[in-house]
Amino acid sequence: MASSRQSDLFQQDEQSGLFGENAPTPEYRADPDSVRAELYKILAEARAAQKLP
């Protein structure tokens, strides 16, 4: 028997309307040059390491 203190996980929640079902999904387009620069930075740090982790 379920405890009366535990809420029903499948029940409609009052907070479910906070996000809006019709809200547009935000789009993120990464700048290829900044991504490439970040990856080169990580590669340089890995190549300069004295020992493997």
Side-chain angles (χ1 to χ4, degrees), residues 13-26:
D13 192 7
E14 297 94 26
Q15 294 184 356
S16 63
L18 293 176
F19 299 105
E21 294 178 16
N22 298 328
T25 304

Side-chain angles (χ1 to χ4, degrees), residues 3-4 7-8 19 22 29 31 37-40 45 48 52:
S3 171
S4 62
S7 63
D8 185 4
F19 299 105
N22 298 328
R29 305 272 182 188
D31 178 33
E38 186 69 26
L39 290 174
Y40 279 138
E45 183 179 341
L52 293 174

Side-chain angles (χ1 to χ4, degrees), residues 28 30-47:
Y28 173 74
D31 178 33
D33 293 330
S34 65
V35 173
R36 187 177 296 111
E38 186 69 26
L39 290 174
Y40 279 138
K41 178 182 161 188
I42 293 170
L43 278 173
E45 183 179 341
R47 289 177 178 151

